[in-house]
């Protein structure tokens, strides 16, 4: 959310990462790139599109992903792999649409997210593509943008965007960097050279059909073998279910400290349920041949750039990782071994390309300029959110002047106001940070999630923090001004806060994870009860039994002492998976009701 006069300027250009697995949209505000979130607070939009049976509007993102295991034949994912190919729909994967048409639906969704967040029309964009995309693939991407109602100002190479996001344009007058990009469906290794403030791609090598999707497929094949069948013997819905479970398992096993996970397939085949334990070492053994395939591309890209592999550590100024699949510890370990140097993982690998796209868009429309940096924020600034958590708005060591904001909603039904506690500190729980002040905003009471309140923090060059809270429905503003505290903090107090945050880091993070998991449970359980009541006999006895059993397990873990975070997260995941069919039926019923109402009208 922005109050800068430039935010209402017709020169606004957004930056878009149109990814294989996820897509994101961002913009530069007051000289800083920010990624925009949807109404649910999600920045990553799954690159999935579902076409309903009744011919209604396509579903995009999380709603479409939920339909993958229900109606896979009407759901399209990883469309980026088909961009610019003449044989795109030969196998029927694209539901009779062109890759551009499907990509346009994803771009329309991103455009809507940006317009809701910025409260203005969005018509111009920068879109990123892999460096090895040919002219046909680039033109197809541009056509997709035009179909979505966007003027595509520039197509930017993903590694160039990632390098901008990492700030590698500030390495010096001349620098060389390697960008290892392993996404959901594609891989490439690019060597870039920066001269006179501009990046030039010296070489690139990759595989348009190698990525995290392939790792998921290998794990799915392993599960099928454990069941005693070939993947080819399963129907489309069963294959989609295995792929979804595989993806979730891969993500869990990429988290720090997670060495094993349980894969559950309730009533999967012939009314039988299956359960497997997958260790991280097993996942790495399955994934290693695929990851090792990227090494040859790395070597060829180095050779094309005139760099011998034994000189890589010396001749490269940085090796950065991009793409969600690089979260796997095995990927990081192998890349460091191949290049002989520690990789730079200072940016979120899922978001780096989108941030770079936003920066490039900001350069084109004049929002990114040379700014004199006057000071930095010594400690993070944020607000207390539901559950007593600290939600950081402006992070520690952010240069000022600075501006950032987020959109929040009411946590409970019939809530008529929101009290915003402004906090400063590095602890995970609000109670452990310093309160700088409070501001209250009134809004129309309604159902949970019906209100939308934008909260914006702005620190000017004098160190004055202004907190603006806005009810986006009425445009009613409340403003709190806090002088000096944002910047002028006693050094000893800053050191003490940072020391405490390190000392209590493990306990703080455990409490935060438990609180978040508990909040998810408390949101899931009533929704499940409402769903079961709404569907009645429309739900099979097997599905109902699985849902009730999973819900009971969540309640049991919630009531247990001491609290077990891992068990609660697993129980939530099982309940989520058990309710997928129910959720799909509820969505379909709502769509049918809406269509009937439309026809009657």
């Amino acid at each position: 959310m922005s109050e800068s006069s430039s935010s209402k300027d017709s020169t606004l250009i957004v930056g878009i990462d149109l990814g294989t697995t996820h897509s994101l949209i961002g913009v530069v505000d007051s000289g800083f790139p920010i990624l925009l979130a949807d109404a649910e607070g999600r920045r990553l939009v799954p690159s999935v599109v579902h076409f309903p049976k009744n011919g209604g509007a396509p579903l995009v993102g999380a709603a479409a992903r939920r339909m993958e295991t229900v109606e896979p034949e009407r759901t399209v994912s990883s469309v980026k792999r088909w961009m610019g190919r003449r044989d795109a729909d030969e196998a029927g994967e694209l539901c009779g649409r062109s890759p551009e048409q499907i990509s346009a639906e994803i771009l329309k969704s991103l455009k809507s997210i940006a317009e809701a967040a910025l409260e203005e029309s969005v018509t111009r964009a920068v879109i990123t593509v892999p460096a090895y995309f040919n002219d046909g693939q680039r033109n197809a991407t541009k056509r997709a943008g035009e179909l979505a109602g966007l003027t595509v100002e520039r197509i930017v190479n993903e590694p160039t965007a990632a390098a901008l996001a990492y700030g590698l344009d500030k390495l010096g007058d001349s620098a060389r960097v390697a960008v290892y990009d392993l996404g959901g469906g594609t891989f490439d290794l690019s060597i870039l050279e920066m001269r006179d403030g501009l990046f030039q791609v010296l070489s690139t090598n990759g595989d348009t059909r190698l990525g995290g999707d392939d790792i998921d497929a290998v794990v799915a094949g392993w599960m099928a073998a454990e069941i005693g069948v070939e993947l080819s013997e399963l129907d489309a819905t069963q294959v989609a279910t295995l792929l979804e479970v595989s993806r979730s398992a891969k993500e869990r096993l990429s988290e720090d400290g997670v060495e094993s996970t349980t894969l559950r397939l309730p009533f999967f085949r012939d009314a039988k349920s299956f359960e497997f334990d997958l260790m991280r070492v097993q996942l790495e053994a399955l994934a290693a041949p695929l990851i090792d395939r990227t090494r040859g591309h790395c070597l060829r890209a180095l050779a094309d750039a005139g760099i011998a592999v034994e000189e890589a550590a010396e001749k490269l100024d940085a090796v950065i990782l991009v793409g969600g699949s690089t979260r796997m510890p095995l990927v990081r370990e192998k890349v460091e071994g191949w290049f002989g140097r520690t990789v730079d993982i200072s940016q979120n690998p899922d978001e780096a390309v989108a941030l770079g796209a936003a920066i490039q868009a900001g350069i084109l429309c004049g929002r990114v300029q040379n700014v004199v940096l006057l000071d930095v924020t010594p400690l993070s600034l944020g607000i207390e959110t539901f559950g007593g958590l600290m939600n950081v708005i402006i992070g520690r060591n952010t240069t000022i002047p600075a501006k950032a904001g987020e959109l929040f909603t009411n946590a409970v039904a019939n809530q008529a106001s929101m009290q915003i506690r402004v906090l400063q500190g590095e602890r995970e729980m609000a109670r452990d940070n310093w309160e700088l002040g409070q501001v209250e905003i009134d809004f129309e009471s309604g159902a949970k999630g019906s209100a939308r309140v934008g909260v914006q923090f702005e620190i000017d060059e004098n160190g004055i923090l202004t907190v603006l809270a806005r009810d986006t429905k009425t445009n009613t503003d409340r403003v709190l001004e806090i002088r000096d505290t944002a910047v002028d903090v006693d050094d000893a107090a800053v050191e003490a806060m940072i020391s405490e945050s390190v000392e209590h880091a493990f306990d703080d993070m455990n409490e935060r994870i438990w609180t978040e998991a508990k909040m998810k449970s408390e949101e899931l359980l009533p929704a499940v009860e409402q769903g079961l009541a709404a569907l009645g006999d429309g739900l099979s006895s097997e599905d109902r039994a699985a849902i009730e059993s999973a819900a009971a397990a969540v309640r049991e873990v919630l009531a247990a002492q001491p609290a077990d975070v891992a068990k609660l997260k697993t129980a939530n995941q099982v309940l989520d998976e058990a309710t997928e069919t129910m959720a799909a039926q509820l969505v379909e019923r709502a769509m049918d009701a809406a269509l009937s109402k439309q026809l009657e009208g």
Side-chain angles (χ1 to χ4, degrees), residues 193-332:
E193 185 171 57
M194 194 277 292
R195 287 183 181 276
D196 301 322
L198 297 174
F199 280 109
Q200 177 187 359
V201 179
L202 297 181
S203 66
T204 189
N205 209 288
D207 188 335
T208 59
R209 303 186 72 79
L210 174 62
D213 291 354
D214 301 286
I215 296 173
D216 299 343
V218 169
V219 177
W222 171 79
M223 275 194 288
E226 290 292 304
I227 293 170
V229 297
E230 296 287 335
L231 272 179
S232 58
E233 298 176 48
L234 302 175
D235 61 33
T237 299
Q238 291 170 327
V239 171
T241 298
L242 287 183
L243 290 173
E244 176 62 21
V245 171
S246 299
R247 181 180 64 81
S248 298
K250 177 187 67 181
E251 291 174 354
R252 288 197 295 275
L253 289 173
S254 295
E255 296 174 9
D256 290 339
V258 179
E259 297 296 333
S260 66
T261 188
T262 301
L263 289 63
R264 294 181 175 86
L265 300 169
F267 306 104
F268 180 73
R269 183 175 168 82
D270 299 329
K272 292 181 181 178
S273 298
F274 299 92
E275 186 173 298
F276 312 105
D277 288 326
L278 180 63
M279 306 290 291
R280 177 185 283 183
V281 290
Q282 289 176 281
L283 172 64
E284 291 180 343
L286 291 168
L290 291 168
I291 297 170
D292 287 340
R293 278 170 53 187
T294 68
R295 181 175 183 271
H297 298 293
C298 294
L299 297 180
R300 284 189 285 276
L302 285 169
D304 291 343
I307 301 174
V309 64
E310 60 271 12
E311 299 175 327
E314 177 186 348
K315 292 197 172 182
L316 292 174
D317 295 281
V319 176
I320 66 176
L321 299 185
V322 179
S325 297
T326 63
R327 292 183 185 278
M328 293 184 68
L330 181 64
V331 173
R332 297 179 179 183

